[in-house]
Amino acid sequence: FLDDTACNLSSINLTKYLDEQGRFDIEAYRHTVRILILAQEILVDYSSYPTATIAQNSHDYRPLGLGYANLGTLLMRLGLPYDGPEGRAMCGALTAIMTGEAYHSSAEIAKAKGPFPGYAKNEQPMLRVIDKHRQHAHMIDKTLVPRELLKSVLHTWDECYALGVQHGYRNSQVTVLAPTGTIGFMMDCDTTGIEPDIALVKYKKLVGGGMMKIVNQSVPGVLKKLGYSGGEIEDILRYVDERETSEGAPHLKDEHLPVFDCAFPPANG
């Protein structure tokens, strides 16, 4: 972004908006974005900065860094390959809602408080960038994402741009796709940030000593969604637990392997 600036980071656990039937709660997701942007915007004036220059630029441009975590787990639970057009379209839609709603919230704050101090000299370039985002939101393949999700994407960006033309934006930047690292696991995530999982099986150190072996929490739900029976799921989980890979697992159909293999390397790989 800009040299000598800082941004307040915050992350959303995407799977918290997914129910057992695989329905994504769009309105709850949008509401979360609005609340977090407001909170992060308030923090700009209450934060401490390491240098006077960083403090000045942070107040002049008010950049924020809202992001998400657990995308890889979300795609698995939906039965979508991480490295495939369906997965990319879903990722695009969810990212578009987050960013569009964030800029929409920023424009609403600008209506009440005024845009960031550096907005006037950057108004036209910034509106061009926002409009480019809006145009690309309209390019998401409508055959690959749920209709209501895409409808929300387009509505959010149209409103975001229109309100920004009227009032500007309170923040020069609102979102980032940063790795969440340890914070992601504190948020009960199987995967961090936008990346796929590191392994089907994880080892966790116990406070009292020893290790606990855990198969990715999403795997049983993914297998159920893909139509496997209870007994088949138990056999597959037992195989994965023993061999730390899905390759060669009993009952697992070849057409379902991309859901796992794009995200998880074999144990010896």
Side-chain angles (χ1 to χ4, degrees):
F1 187 53
L2 298 175
D3 289 341
D4 293 312
T5 54
C7 67
N8 300 292
L9 299 175
S10 184
S11 299
I12 300 171
N13 183 348
L14 291 176
T15 60
K16 296 297 184 181
Y17 304 89
L18 198 65
D19 66 17
E20 292 299 322
Q21 286 71 46
R23 293 186 297 258
F24 191 86
D25 192 335
I26 303 169
E27 288 309 309
Y29 181 49
R30 292 177 61 184
H31 179 70
T32 301
V33 171
R34 291 193 294 271
I35 293 296
L36 287 174
I37 286 297
L38 181 58
Q40 288 171 267
E41 156 60 22
I42 292 170
L43 282 174
V44 171
D45 293 324
Y46 285 89
S47 295
S48 298
Y49 300 95
T51 70
T53 303
I54 291 176
Q56 186 64 52
N57 285 334
S58 296
H59 285 99
D60 286 347
Y61 293 93
R62 308 185 75 81
L64 307 180
L66 179 62
Y68 55 61
N70 230 10
L71 175 73
T73 302
L74 179 90
L75 295 180
M76 283 187 67
R77 286 179 56 181
L78 291 173
L80 301 176
Y82 181 91
D83 185 20
E86 298 89 350
R88 285 191 287 272
M90 179 60 70
C91 175
L94 294 176
T95 308
I97 287 180
M98 178 181 70
T99 305
E101 195 64 41
Y103 273 120
H104 186 265
S105 298
S106 184
E108 289 181 323
I109 299 171
K111 181 180 179 180
K113 302 280 289 182
F116 62 91
Y119 180 73
K121 63 182 179 181
N122 291 284
E123 179 177 9
Q124 293 308 311
M126 185 165 184
L127 287 175
R128 282 201 304 271
V129 169
I130 296 295
D131 191 41
K132 285 181 180 180
H133 280 295
R134 185 181 68 83
Q135 292 175 34
H136 277 270
H138 281 264
M139 295 179 192
I140 296 174
D141 192 334
K142 62 182 180 182
T143 67
L144 298 179
V145 295
R147 185 175 62 86
E148 286 303 313
L149 185 61
L150 185 60
K151 181 180 177 181
S152 182
V153 169
L154 303 184
H155 173 76
T156 297
W157 273 103
D158 288 343
E159 289 291 309
C160 157
Y161 178 70
L163 197 62
V165 169
Q166 287 183 278
H167 305 289
Y169 300 93
R170 183 66 172 169
N171 312 95
S172 58
Q173 173 184 288
V174 290
T175 56
V176 295
L177 288 177
T180 53
T182 306
I183 294 173
F185 295 116
M186 293 175 66
M187 294 165 60
D188 195 30
C189 298
D190 279 324
T191 63
T192 59
I194 196 172
E195 61 268 27
D197 207 347
I198 56 175
L200 271 175
V201 177
K202 301 183 181 71
Y203 291 86
K204 183 177 181 180
K205 287 185 178 180
L206 302 177
V207 175
M211 302 279 287
M212 182 171 65
K213 191 176 183 181
I214 310 170
V215 175
N216 183 301
Q217 301 173 62
S218 304
V219 173
V222 175
L223 293 171
K224 183 177 180 181
K225 181 174 179 60
L226 292 174
Y228 292 90
S229 67
E232 290 173 333
I233 292 173
E234 287 182 12
D235 289 344
I236 294 172
L237 291 177
R238 188 179 304 112
Y239 181 93
V240 170
D241 184 46
E242 292 173 354
R243 307 198 184 194
E244 303 187 4
T245 179
S246 61
E247 186 176 354
H251 316 299
L252 193 59
K253 300 174 183 177
D254 290 343
E255 62 265 30
H256 294 154
L257 281 173
V259 176
F260 299 96
D261 289 348
C262 286
F264 308 113
N268 59 5

